[in-house]
Amino acid sequence: AQSVTQLDSQVPVFEEAPVELRCNYSSSVSVYLFWYVQYPNQGLQLLLKYLSGSTLVKGINGFEAEFNKSQTSFHLRKPSVHISDTAEYFCAVSDQGTYKYIFGTGTRLKVLA
Amino acid sequence: GAVVSQHPSRVICKSGTSVKIECRSLDFQATTMFWYRQFPKQSLMLMATSNEGSKATYEQGVEKDKFLINHASLTLSTLTVTSAHPEDSSFYICSARGGAGNTIYFGEGSWLTVV
């Protein structure tokens, strides 16, 4: 079984500052890793995913994440945030066989002017 | 790119009635679809896996007689909430597996409010 832990439920940050949203996972099998963003009253939008290969993954809207197998982490980063980045961010894992997603509890990023 | 569409996006129903939510893959065939629900300010929880032409597989704790799932074609899965109660009010979102590389695509979600 897999699990995902997002340690921070809320992260306030000033506009143009860098941000890191933390995600740790546990799994006994190889997994795929994802970050999704959910804007208020909307569905999920894929930011980026790690399937294999390079551990540094670049996504949309200037976000990137680094897969660290030894630390079982997949932290999301952005060097300079905008007001429009205010949203809920979900980390998710999927084992490579079932395509079922296990989501973390989410981190609410609030960008302050 | 591939798109998964859900309908309706918002629905309000009376307690005791049933409501159906559709999940369609618009430009690819989806042999497998997944249904999730999200309570306010919480994460998404997998409810069931829907396989075309066979019975859905429900996650532990999900009542299969209350949440009826039908995957009658390779592009459509439906979730019917039967005898809905206010506690069923939630955000229901589907995902579909298919297209190039068996990618997972999420729908836009459906807000259900039971009054």
Side-chain angles (χ1 to χ4, degrees), chain B residues 3-8 20-26 28 30 32-35 50 70-71 73-79 93-97 105-110:
Chain B
V3 178
V4 174
S5 176
Q6 281 185 240
H7 178 80
K20 180 186 289 187
I21 301 170
E22 295 184 345
C23 177
R24 292 183 185 272
S25 56
L26 297 185
F28 66 97
T32 305
M33 290 183 173
F34 303 89
W35 286 96
S50 170
N70 186 293
H71 195 156
S73 76
L74 286 171
T75 59
L76 173 65
S77 175
T78 59
L79 168 68
I93 191 166
C94 72
S95 67
R97 169 190 163 193
Y105 300 94
F106 280 86
E108 313 99 321
S110 299

PDB file of all heavy atoms in Angstrom, chain B residues 3-8 20-26 28 30 32-35 50 70-71 73-79 93-97 105-110:
ATOM      1  N   VAL B   3      -9.281  14.903 -23.403  1.00  0.00           N
ATOM      2  CA  VAL B   3     -10.174  15.618 -22.491  1.00  0.00           C
ATOM      3  C   VAL B   3     -11.156  14.657 -21.875  1.00  0.00           C
ATOM      4  O   VAL B   3     -11.696  13.784 -22.537  1.00  0.00           O
ATOM      5  CB  VAL B   3     -10.947  16.731 -23.227  1.00  0.00           C
ATOM      6  CG1 VAL B   3     -11.906  17.429 -22.286  1.00  0.00           C
ATOM      7  CG2 VAL B   3      -9.985  17.763 -23.801  1.00  0.00           C
ATOM      8  N   VAL B   4     -11.382  14.822 -20.611  1.00  0.00           N
ATOM      9  CA  VAL B   4     -12.414  14.067 -19.898  1.00  0.00           C
ATOM     10  C   VAL B   4     -13.447  15.061 -19.404  1.00  0.00           C
ATOM     11  O   VAL B   4     -13.104  16.048 -18.765  1.00  0.00           O
ATOM     12  CB  VAL B   4     -11.805  13.284 -18.721  1.00  0.00           C
ATOM     13  CG1 VAL B   4     -12.908  12.630 -17.896  1.00  0.00           C
ATOM     14  CG2 VAL B   4     -10.825  12.246 -19.228  1.00  0.00           C
ATOM     15  N   SER B   5     -14.670  14.799 -19.722  1.00  0.00           N
ATOM     16  CA  SER B   5     -15.745  15.732 -19.392  1.00  0.00           C
ATOM     17  C   SER B   5     -16.715  15.109 -18.403  1.00  0.00           C
ATOM     18  O   SER B   5     -17.071  13.933 -18.533  1.00  0.00           O
ATOM     19  CB  SER B   5     -16.487  16.131 -20.672  1.00  0.00           C
ATOM     20  OG  SER B   5     -17.592  16.965 -20.375  1.00  0.00           O
ATOM     21  N   GLN B   6     -17.142  15.878 -17.442  1.00  0.00           N
ATOM     22  CA  GLN B   6     -18.140  15.427 -16.480  1.00  0.00           C
ATOM     23  C   GLN B   6     -19.392  16.278 -16.612  1.00  0.00           C
ATOM     24  O   GLN B   6     -19.341  17.476 -16.860  1.00  0.00           O
ATOM     25  CB  GLN B   6     -17.611  15.531 -15.045  1.00  0.00           C
ATOM     26  CG  GLN B   6     -16.691  14.411 -14.653  1.00  0.00           C
ATOM     27  CD  GLN B   6     -16.268  14.469 -13.199  1.00  0.00           C
ATOM     28  OE1 GLN B   6     -15.088  14.572 -12.910  1.00  0.00           O
ATOM     29  NE2 GLN B   6     -17.241  14.385 -12.293  1.00  0.00           N
ATOM     30  N   HIS B   7     -20.524  15.609 -16.409  1.00  0.00           N
ATOM     31  CA  HIS B   7     -21.800  16.320 -16.480  1.00  0.00           C
ATOM     32  C   HIS B   7     -22.782  15.712 -15.490  1.00  0.00           C
ATOM     33  O   HIS B   7     -22.875  14.477 -15.403  1.00  0.00           O
ATOM     34  CB  HIS B   7     -22.382  16.227 -17.902  1.00  0.00           C
ATOM     35  CG  HIS B   7     -23.708  16.889 -18.027  1.00  0.00           C
ATOM     36  ND1 HIS B   7     -23.853  18.252 -18.169  1.00  0.00           N
ATOM     37  CD2 HIS B   7     -24.966  16.368 -17.978  1.00  0.00           C
ATOM     38  CE1 HIS B   7     -25.135  18.548 -18.238  1.00  0.00           C
ATOM     39  NE2 HIS B   7     -25.826  17.429 -18.126  1.00  0.00           N
ATOM     40  N   PRO B   8     -23.480  16.499 -14.715  1.00  0.00           N
ATOM     41  CA  PRO B   8     -23.420  17.962 -14.688  1.00  0.00           C
ATOM     42  C   PRO B   8     -22.233  18.453 -13.852  1.00  0.00           C
ATOM     43  O   PRO B   8     -21.672  17.696 -13.081  1.00  0.00           O
ATOM     44  CB  PRO B   8     -24.746  18.335 -14.024  1.00  0.00           C
ATOM     45  CG  PRO B   8     -25.008  17.182 -13.097  1.00  0.00           C
ATOM     46  CD  PRO B   8     -24.497  15.963 -13.808  1.00  0.00           C
ATOM     47  N   LYS B  20     -27.535  11.160 -11.159  1.00  0.00           N
ATOM     48  CA  LYS B  20     -26.526  10.498 -11.990  1.00  0.00           C
ATOM     49  C   LYS B  20     -25.497  11.509 -12.468  1.00  0.00           C
ATOM     50  O   LYS B  20     -25.846  12.607 -12.920  1.00  0.00           O
ATOM     51  CB  LYS B  20     -27.180   9.839 -13.199  1.00  0.00           C
ATOM     52  CG  LYS B  20     -26.204   9.121 -14.118  1.00  0.00           C
ATOM     53  CD  LYS B  20     -26.894   8.602 -15.378  1.00  0.00           C
ATOM     54  CE  LYS B  20     -27.793   7.438 -15.081  1.00  0.00           C
ATOM     55  NZ  LYS B  20     -28.339   6.833 -16.309  1.00  0.00           N
ATOM     56  N   ILE B  21     -24.240  11.117 -12.384  1.00  0.00           N
ATOM     57  CA  ILE B  21     -23.133  11.941 -12.879  1.00  0.00           C
ATOM     58  C   ILE B  21     -22.430  11.158 -13.986  1.00  0.00           C
ATOM     59  O   ILE B  21     -22.122   9.976 -13.813  1.00  0.00           O
ATOM     60  CB  ILE B  21     -22.143  12.276 -11.755  1.00  0.00           C
ATOM     61  CG1 ILE B  21     -22.848  13.031 -10.621  1.00  0.00           C
ATOM     62  CG2 ILE B  21     -20.980  13.112 -12.294  1.00  0.00           C
ATOM     63  CD1 ILE B  21     -21.999  13.191  -9.375  1.00  0.00           C
ATOM     64  N   GLU B  22     -22.187  11.839 -15.096  1.00  0.00           N
ATOM     65  CA  GLU B  22     -21.542  11.184 -16.231  1.00  0.00           C
ATOM     66  C   GLU B  22     -20.092  11.606 -16.357  1.00  0.00           C
ATOM     67  O   GLU B  22     -19.738  12.756 -16.103  1.00  0.00           O
ATOM     68  CB  GLU B  22     -22.266  11.532 -17.536  1.00  0.00           C
ATOM     69  CG  GLU B  22     -23.674  11.023 -17.635  1.00  0.00           C
ATOM     70  CD  GLU B  22     -24.287  11.327 -18.982  1.00  0.00           C
ATOM     71  OE1 GLU B  22     -23.731  12.170 -19.706  1.00  0.00           O
ATOM     72  OE2 GLU B  22     -25.326  10.738 -19.308  1.00  0.00           O
ATOM     73  N   CYS B  23     -19.274  10.665 -16.798  1.00  0.00           N
ATOM     74  CA  CYS B  23     -17.863  10.928 -17.059  1.00  0.00           C
ATOM     75  C   CYS B  23     -17.566  10.400 -18.453  1.00  0.00           C
ATOM     76  O   CYS B  23     -17.731   9.202 -18.722  1.00  0.00           O
ATOM     77  CB  CYS B  23     -17.002  10.214 -16.026  1.00  0.00           C
ATOM     78  SG  CYS B  23     -15.215  10.372 -16.278  1.00  0.00           S
ATOM     79  N   ARG B  24     -17.169  11.294 -19.332  1.00  0.00           N
ATOM     80  CA  ARG B  24     -16.920  10.921 -20.727  1.00  0.00           C
ATOM     81  C   ARG B  24     -15.500  11.233 -21.149  1.00  0.00           C
ATOM     82  O   ARG B  24     -14.978  12.304 -20.841  1.00  0.00           O
ATOM     83  CB  ARG B  24     -17.855  11.688 -21.674  1.00  0.00           C
ATOM     84  CG  ARG B  24     -19.310  11.326 -21.575  1.00  0.00           C
ATOM     85  CD  ARG B  24     -20.136  12.091 -22.599  1.00  0.00           C
ATOM     86  NE  ARG B  24     -21.557  11.815 -22.421  1.00  0.00           N
ATOM     87  CZ  ARG B  24     -22.181  10.799 -23.000  1.00  0.00           C
ATOM     88  NH1 ARG B  24     -21.502   9.974 -23.792  1.00  0.00           N
ATOM     89  NH2 ARG B  24     -23.460  10.599 -22.793  1.00  0.00           N
ATOM     90  N   SER B  25     -14.891  10.285 -21.826  1.00  0.00           N
ATOM     91  CA  SER B  25     -13.614  10.567 -22.467  1.00  0.00           C
ATOM     92  C   SER B  25     -13.935  11.018 -23.886  1.00  0.00           C
ATOM     93  O   SER B  25     -14.606  10.313 -24.631  1.00  0.00           O
ATOM     94  CB  SER B  25     -12.722   9.320 -22.480  1.00  0.00           C
ATOM     95  OG  SER B  25     -13.371   8.232 -23.114  1.00  0.00           O
ATOM     96  N   LEU B  26     -13.504  12.219 -24.233  1.00  0.00           N
ATOM     97  CA  LEU B  26     -13.980  12.841 -25.465  1.00  0.00           C
ATOM     98  C   LEU B  26     -13.215  12.425 -26.714  1.00  0.00           C
ATOM     99  O   LEU B  26     -13.767  12.427 -27.801  1.00  0.00           O
ATOM    100  CB  LEU B  26     -13.954  14.360 -25.327  1.00  0.00           C
ATOM    101  CG  LEU B  26     -14.878  14.921 -24.246  1.00  0.00           C
ATOM    102  CD1 LEU B  26     -14.857  16.440 -24.271  1.00  0.00           C
ATOM    103  CD2 LEU B  26     -16.299  14.412 -24.412  1.00  0.00           C
ATOM    104  N   PHE B  28     -10.650   9.724 -26.703  1.00  0.00           N
ATOM    105  CA  PHE B  28      -9.902   8.478 -26.596  1.00  0.00           C
ATOM    106  C   PHE B  28     -10.798   7.448 -25.919  1.00  0.00           C
ATOM    107  O   PHE B  28     -11.803   7.788 -25.289  1.00  0.00           O
ATOM    108  CB  PHE B  28      -8.596   8.657 -25.804  1.00  0.00           C
ATOM    109  CG  PHE B  28      -8.795   9.011 -24.346  1.00  0.00           C
ATOM    110  CD1 PHE B  28      -8.758   8.025 -23.378  1.00  0.00           C
ATOM    111  CD2 PHE B  28      -8.999  10.326 -23.961  1.00  0.00           C
ATOM    112  CE1 PHE B  28      -8.941   8.336 -22.035  1.00  0.00           C
ATOM    113  CE2 PHE B  28      -9.179  10.652 -22.623  1.00  0.00           C
ATOM    114  CZ  PHE B  28      -9.149   9.652 -21.660  1.00  0.00           C
ATOM    115  N   ALA B  30     -11.418   4.770 -23.087  1.00  0.00           N
ATOM    116  CA  ALA B  30     -10.953   4.566 -21.726  1.00  0.00           C
ATOM    117  C   ALA B  30     -11.444   3.221 -21.215  1.00  0.00           C
ATOM    118  O   ALA B  30     -12.630   3.061 -20.909  1.00  0.00           O
ATOM    119  CB  ALA B  30     -11.461   5.689 -20.824  1.00  0.00           C
ATOM    120  N   THR B  32     -10.538   1.946 -18.461  1.00  0.00           N
ATOM    121  CA  THR B  32     -10.666   2.061 -17.012  1.00  0.00           C
ATOM    122  C   THR B  32     -10.940   3.502 -16.633  1.00  0.00           C
ATOM    123  O   THR B  32     -10.285   4.418 -17.132  1.00  0.00           O
ATOM    124  CB  THR B  32      -9.380   1.600 -16.301  1.00  0.00           C
ATOM    125  OG1 THR B  32      -9.052   0.282 -16.722  1.00  0.00           O
ATOM    126  CG2 THR B  32      -9.571   1.616 -14.790  1.00  0.00           C
ATOM    127  N   MET B  33     -11.906   3.683 -15.766  1.00  0.00           N
ATOM    128  CA  MET B  33     -12.184   5.003 -15.205  1.00  0.00           C
ATOM    129  C   MET B  33     -12.238   4.879 -13.692  1.00  0.00           C
ATOM    130  O   MET B  33     -12.557   3.810 -13.160  1.00  0.00           O
ATOM    131  CB  MET B  33     -13.504   5.561 -15.744  1.00  0.00           C
ATOM    132  CG  MET B  33     -13.461   5.945 -17.219  1.00  0.00           C
ATOM    133  SD  MET B  33     -14.999   6.684 -17.783  1.00  0.00           S
ATOM    134  CE  MET B  33     -14.551   7.197 -19.434  1.00  0.00           C
ATOM    135  N   PHE B  34     -11.916   5.954 -13.030  1.00  0.00           N
ATOM    136  CA  PHE B  34     -11.868   5.957 -11.581  1.00  0.00           C
ATOM    137  C   PHE B  34     -12.794   7.071 -11.054  1.00  0.00           C
ATOM    138  O   PHE B  34     -12.878   8.141 -11.646  1.00  0.00           O
ATOM    139  CB  PHE B  34     -10.441   6.216 -11.079  1.00  0.00           C
ATOM    140  CG  PHE B  34      -9.431   5.231 -11.580  1.00  0.00           C
ATOM    141  CD1 PHE B  34      -8.767   5.445 -12.780  1.00  0.00           C
ATOM    142  CD2 PHE B  34      -9.125   4.092 -10.849  1.00  0.00           C
ATOM    143  CE1 PHE B  34      -7.829   4.545 -13.254  1.00  0.00           C
ATOM    144  CE2 PHE B  34      -8.186   3.184 -11.309  1.00  0.00           C
ATOM    145  CZ  PHE B  34      -7.535   3.401 -12.510  1.00  0.00           C
ATOM    146  N   TRP B  35     -13.431   6.802  -9.944  1.00  0.00           N
ATOM    147  CA  TRP B  35     -14.285   7.808  -9.304  1.00  0.00           C
ATOM    148  C   TRP B  35     -13.715   8.156  -7.933  1.00  0.00           C
ATOM    149  O   TRP B  35     -13.416   7.276  -7.123  1.00  0.00           O
ATOM    150  CB  TRP B  35     -15.721   7.294  -9.163  1.00  0.00           C
ATOM    151  CG  TRP B  35     -16.458   7.275 -10.462  1.00  0.00           C
ATOM    152  CD1 TRP B  35     -16.622   6.219 -11.304  1.00  0.00           C
ATOM    153  CD2 TRP B  35     -17.135   8.379 -11.078  1.00  0.00           C
ATOM    154  NE1 TRP B  35     -17.358   6.595 -12.399  1.00  0.00           N
ATOM    155  CE2 TRP B  35     -17.684   7.910 -12.277  1.00  0.00           C
ATOM    156  CE3 TRP B  35     -17.327   9.720 -10.718  1.00  0.00           C
ATOM    157  CZ2 TRP B  35     -18.425   8.731 -13.146  1.00  0.00           C
ATOM    158  CZ3 TRP B  35     -18.064  10.528 -11.574  1.00  0.00           C
ATOM    159  CH2 TRP B  35     -18.599  10.040 -12.765  1.00  0.00           C
ATOM    160  N   SER B  50     -13.746   1.639 -12.319  1.00  0.00           N
ATOM    161  CA  SER B  50     -14.781   1.235 -13.259  1.00  0.00           C
ATOM    162  C   SER B  50     -14.132   0.673 -14.515  1.00  0.00           C
ATOM    163  O   SER B  50     -13.344   1.350 -15.163  1.00  0.00           O
ATOM    164  CB  SER B  50     -15.622   2.473 -13.619  1.00  0.00           C
ATOM    165  OG  SER B  50     -16.491   2.224 -14.686  1.00  0.00           O
ATOM    166  N   ASN B  70     -21.664   2.418 -13.589  1.00  0.00           N
ATOM    167  CA  ASN B  70     -21.872   1.700 -14.833  1.00  0.00           C
ATOM    168  C   ASN B  70     -20.882   2.204 -15.873  1.00  0.00           C
ATOM    169  O   ASN B  70     -20.766   3.399 -16.099  1.00  0.00           O
ATOM    170  CB  ASN B  70     -23.315   1.920 -15.321  1.00  0.00           C
ATOM    171  CG  ASN B  70     -23.626   1.087 -16.539  1.00  0.00           C
ATOM    172  OD1 ASN B  70     -23.079   1.301 -17.615  1.00  0.00           O
ATOM    173  ND2 ASN B  70     -24.510   0.127 -16.384  1.00  0.00           N
ATOM    174  N   HIS B  71     -20.172   1.297 -16.499  1.00  0.00           N
ATOM    175  CA  HIS B  71     -19.186   1.661 -17.524  1.00  0.00           C
ATOM    176  C   HIS B  71     -19.590   0.928 -18.799  1.00  0.00           C
ATOM    177  O   HIS B  71     -18.964  -0.055 -19.186  1.00  0.00           O
ATOM    178  CB  HIS B  71     -17.794   1.233 -17.043  1.00  0.00           C
ATOM    179  CG  HIS B  71     -16.674   1.841 -17.816  1.00  0.00           C
ATOM    180  ND1 HIS B  71     -15.418   1.987 -17.281  1.00  0.00           N
ATOM    181  CD2 HIS B  71     -16.592   2.326 -19.062  1.00  0.00           C
ATOM    182  CE1 HIS B  71     -14.620   2.543 -18.169  1.00  0.00           C
ATOM    183  NE2 HIS B  71     -15.315   2.746 -19.252  1.00  0.00           N
ATOM    184  N   SER B  73     -19.723   1.788 -21.985  1.00  0.00           N
ATOM    185  CA  SER B  73     -18.995   1.913 -23.241  1.00  0.00           C
ATOM    186  C   SER B  73     -17.579   2.378 -22.941  1.00  0.00           C
ATOM    187  O   SER B  73     -17.259   2.727 -21.805  1.00  0.00           O
ATOM    188  CB  SER B  73     -19.684   2.906 -24.178  1.00  0.00           C
ATOM    189  OG  SER B  73     -19.426   4.234 -23.760  1.00  0.00           O
ATOM    190  N   LEU B  74     -16.753   2.380 -23.950  1.00  0.00           N
ATOM    191  CA  LEU B  74     -15.354   2.757 -23.758  1.00  0.00           C
ATOM    192  C   LEU B  74     -15.159   4.256 -23.577  1.00  0.00           C
ATOM    193  O   LEU B  74     -14.033   4.705 -23.363  1.00  0.00           O
ATOM    194  CB  LEU B  74     -14.513   2.267 -24.945  1.00  0.00           C
ATOM    195  CG  LEU B  74     -14.246   0.772 -24.966  1.00  0.00           C
ATOM    196  CD1 LEU B  74     -13.608   0.358 -26.286  1.00  0.00           C
ATOM    197  CD2 LEU B  74     -13.331   0.373 -23.815  1.00  0.00           C
ATOM    198  N   THR B  75     -16.226   5.012 -23.658  1.00  0.00           N
ATOM    199  CA  THR B  75     -16.094   6.456 -23.488  1.00  0.00           C
ATOM    200  C   THR B  75     -17.002   7.017 -22.406  1.00  0.00           C
ATOM    201  O   THR B  75     -17.036   8.229 -22.203  1.00  0.00           O
ATOM    202  CB  THR B  75     -16.406   7.194 -24.815  1.00  0.00           C
ATOM    203  OG1 THR B  75     -17.741   6.874 -25.221  1.00  0.00           O
ATOM    204  CG2 THR B  75     -15.419   6.805 -25.902  1.00  0.00           C
ATOM    205  N   LEU B  76     -17.737   6.156 -21.714  1.00  0.00           N
ATOM    206  CA  LEU B  76     -18.700   6.685 -20.741  1.00  0.00           C
ATOM    207  C   LEU B  76     -18.768   5.809 -19.500  1.00  0.00           C
ATOM    208  O   LEU B  76     -18.948   4.598 -19.584  1.00  0.00           O
ATOM    209  CB  LEU B  76     -20.089   6.779 -21.379  1.00  0.00           C
ATOM    210  CG  LEU B  76     -21.239   7.156 -20.435  1.00  0.00           C
ATOM    211  CD1 LEU B  76     -21.045   8.574 -19.898  1.00  0.00           C
ATOM    212  CD2 LEU B  76     -22.583   7.043 -21.157  1.00  0.00           C
ATOM    213  N   SER B  77     -18.634   6.456 -18.348  1.00  0.00           N
ATOM    214  CA  SER B  77     -18.903   5.819 -17.065  1.00  0.00           C
ATOM    215  C   SER B  77     -19.869   6.719 -16.311  1.00  0.00           C
ATOM    216  O   SER B  77     -19.763   7.945 -16.383  1.00  0.00           O
ATOM    217  CB  SER B  77     -17.616   5.629 -16.261  1.00  0.00           C
ATOM    218  OG  SER B  77     -17.904   5.108 -14.964  1.00  0.00           O
ATOM    219  N   THR B  78     -20.798   6.108 -15.609  1.00  0.00           N
ATOM    220  CA  THR B  78     -21.754   6.911 -14.833  1.00  0.00           C
ATOM    221  C   THR B  78     -21.715   6.499 -13.368  1.00  0.00           C
ATOM    222  O   THR B  78     -21.530   5.325 -13.039  1.00  0.00           O
ATOM    223  CB  THR B  78     -23.188   6.761 -15.358  1.00  0.00           C
ATOM    224  OG1 THR B  78     -23.570   5.374 -15.283  1.00  0.00           O
ATOM    225  CG2 THR B  78     -23.312   7.239 -16.782  1.00  0.00           C
ATOM    226  N   LEU B  79     -21.878   7.479 -12.528  1.00  0.00           N
ATOM    227  CA  LEU B  79     -21.982   7.272 -11.088  1.00  0.00           C
ATOM    228  C   LEU B  79     -23.365   7.733 -10.668  1.00  0.00           C
ATOM    229  O   LEU B  79     -23.726   8.895 -10.902  1.00  0.00           O
ATOM    230  CB  LEU B  79     -20.920   8.086 -10.351  1.00  0.00           C
ATOM    231  CG  LEU B  79     -21.064   8.199  -8.824  1.00  0.00           C
ATOM    232  CD1 LEU B  79     -20.835   6.843  -8.162  1.00  0.00           C
ATOM    233  CD2 LEU B  79     -20.082   9.225  -8.260  1.00  0.00           C
ATOM    234  N   ILE B  93     -15.212  13.498  -8.645  1.00  0.00           N
ATOM    235  CA  ILE B  93     -14.354  13.703  -9.812  1.00  0.00           C
ATOM    236  C   ILE B  93     -13.949  12.352 -10.383  1.00  0.00           C
ATOM    237  O   ILE B  93     -13.709  11.404  -9.629  1.00  0.00           O
ATOM    238  CB  ILE B  93     -13.132  14.573  -9.461  1.00  0.00           C
ATOM    239  CG1 ILE B  93     -12.385  15.015 -10.711  1.00  0.00           C
ATOM    240  CG2 ILE B  93     -12.213  13.888  -8.477  1.00  0.00           C
ATOM    241  CD1 ILE B  93     -11.390  16.128 -10.460  1.00  0.00           C
ATOM    242  N   CYS B  94     -13.925  12.276 -11.678  1.00  0.00           N
ATOM    243  CA  CYS B  94     -13.546  11.021 -12.315  1.00  0.00           C
ATOM    244  C   CYS B  94     -12.215  11.187 -13.031  1.00  0.00           C
ATOM    245  O   CYS B  94     -11.777  12.310 -13.320  1.00  0.00           O
ATOM    246  CB  CYS B  94     -14.614  10.566 -13.305  1.00  0.00           C
ATOM    247  SG  CYS B  94     -14.702  11.557 -14.809  1.00  0.00           S
ATOM    248  N   SER B  95     -11.573  10.093 -13.273  1.00  0.00           N
ATOM    249  CA  SER B  95     -10.398  10.098 -14.141  1.00  0.00           C
ATOM    250  C   SER B  95     -10.522   8.930 -15.095  1.00  0.00           C
ATOM    251  O   SER B  95     -11.197   7.940 -14.813  1.00  0.00           O
ATOM    252  CB  SER B  95      -9.091  10.009 -13.337  1.00  0.00           C
ATOM    253  OG  SER B  95      -8.972   8.754 -12.702  1.00  0.00           O
ATOM    254  N   ALA B  96      -9.891   9.064 -16.229  1.00  0.00           N
ATOM    255  CA  ALA B  96      -9.958   8.036 -17.260  1.00  0.00           C
ATOM    256  C   ALA B  96      -8.554   7.692 -17.721  1.00  0.00           C
ATOM    257  O   ALA B  96      -7.706   8.574 -17.885  1.00  0.00           O
ATOM    258  CB  ALA B  96     -10.798   8.525 -18.436  1.00  0.00           C
ATOM    259  N   ARG B  97      -8.374   6.414 -17.924  1.00  0.00           N
ATOM    260  CA  ARG B  97      -7.063   5.937 -18.388  1.00  0.00           C
ATOM    261  C   ARG B  97      -7.170   5.578 -19.854  1.00  0.00           C
ATOM    262  O   ARG B  97      -8.040   4.807 -20.256  1.00  0.00           O
ATOM    263  CB  ARG B  97      -6.669   4.702 -17.578  1.00  0.00           C
ATOM    264  CG  ARG B  97      -5.483   3.945 -18.105  1.00  0.00           C
ATOM    265  CD  ARG B  97      -5.334   2.625 -17.368  1.00  0.00           C
ATOM    266  NE  ARG B  97      -4.483   1.704 -18.084  1.00  0.00           N
ATOM    267  CZ  ARG B  97      -4.392   0.412 -17.795  1.00  0.00           C
ATOM    268  NH1 ARG B  97      -5.096  -0.097 -16.822  1.00  0.00           N
ATOM    269  NH2 ARG B  97      -3.591  -0.360 -18.478  1.00  0.00           N
ATOM    270  N   TYR B 105      -6.289  11.011 -17.169  1.00  0.00           N
ATOM    271  CA  TYR B 105      -6.818  12.362 -17.333  1.00  0.00           C
ATOM    272  C   TYR B 105      -7.984  12.545 -16.375  1.00  0.00           C
ATOM    273  O   TYR B 105      -8.853  11.673 -16.281  1.00  0.00           O
ATOM    274  CB  TYR B 105      -7.290  12.600 -18.779  1.00  0.00           C
ATOM    275  CG  TYR B 105      -6.202  12.430 -19.802  1.00  0.00           C
ATOM    276  CD1 TYR B 105      -6.020  11.196 -20.454  1.00  0.00           C
ATOM    277  CD2 TYR B 105      -5.350  13.476 -20.136  1.00  0.00           C
ATOM    278  CE1 TYR B 105      -5.015  11.030 -21.386  1.00  0.00           C
ATOM    279  CE2 TYR B 105      -4.345  13.313 -21.080  1.00  0.00           C
ATOM    280  CZ  TYR B 105      -4.185  12.082 -21.697  1.00  0.00           C
ATOM    281  OH  TYR B 105      -3.188  11.919 -22.621  1.00  0.00           O
ATOM    282  N   PHE B 106      -8.008  13.666 -15.689  1.00  0.00           N
ATOM    283  CA  PHE B 106      -9.082  13.956 -14.745  1.00  0.00           C
ATOM    284  C   PHE B 106     -10.159  14.818 -15.386  1.00  0.00           C
ATOM    285  O   PHE B 106      -9.878  15.697 -16.200  1.00  0.00           O
ATOM    286  CB  PHE B 106      -8.536  14.672 -13.510  1.00  0.00           C
ATOM    287  CG  PHE B 106      -7.901  13.746 -12.513  1.00  0.00           C
ATOM    288  CD1 PHE B 106      -6.568  13.390 -12.642  1.00  0.00           C
ATOM    289  CD2 PHE B 106      -8.641  13.209 -11.478  1.00  0.00           C
ATOM    290  CE1 PHE B 106      -5.982  12.517 -11.729  1.00  0.00           C
ATOM    291  CE2 PHE B 106      -8.057  12.339 -10.559  1.00  0.00           C
ATOM    292  CZ  PHE B 106      -6.728  11.992 -10.691  1.00  0.00           C
ATOM    293  N   GLY B 107     -11.391  14.558 -14.979  1.00  0.00           N
ATOM    294  CA  GLY B 107     -12.485  15.427 -15.382  1.00  0.00           C
ATOM    295  C   GLY B 107     -12.487  16.697 -14.547  1.00  0.00           C
ATOM    296  O   GLY B 107     -11.647  16.889 -13.667  1.00  0.00           O
ATOM    297  N   GLU B 108     -13.463  17.560 -14.863  1.00  0.00           N
ATOM    298  CA  GLU B 108     -13.521  18.849 -14.168  1.00  0.00           C
ATOM    299  C   GLU B 108     -14.219  18.738 -12.817  1.00  0.00           C
ATOM    300  O   GLU B 108     -14.201  19.672 -12.023  1.00  0.00           O
ATOM    301  CB  GLU B 108     -14.275  19.890 -15.020  1.00  0.00           C
ATOM    302  CG  GLU B 108     -13.840  19.934 -16.478  1.00  0.00           C
ATOM    303  CD  GLU B 108     -14.802  19.151 -17.351  1.00  0.00           C
ATOM    304  OE1 GLU B 108     -15.283  18.062 -16.911  1.00  0.00           O
ATOM    305  OE2 GLU B 108     -15.092  19.616 -18.459  1.00  0.00           O
ATOM    306  N   GLY B 109     -14.846  17.605 -12.568  1.00  0.00           N
ATOM    307  CA  GLY B 109     -15.520  17.420 -11.290  1.00  0.00           C
ATOM    308  C   GLY B 109     -16.976  17.825 -11.331  1.00  0.00           C
ATOM    309  O   GLY B 109     -17.412  18.611 -12.179  1.00  0.00           O
ATOM    310  N   SER B 110     -17.724  17.275 -10.390  1.00  0.00           N
ATOM    311  CA  SER B 110     -19.153  17.580 -10.268  1.00  0.00           C
ATOM    312  C   SER B 110     -19.474  17.861  -8.805  1.00  0.00           C
ATOM    313  O   SER B 110     -19.165  17.046  -7.932  1.00  0.00           O
ATOM    314  CB  SER B 110     -19.998  16.391 -10.750  1.00  0.00           C
ATOM    315  OG  SER B 110     -19.748  16.086 -12.109  1.00  0.00           O
TER     316      SER B 110
END
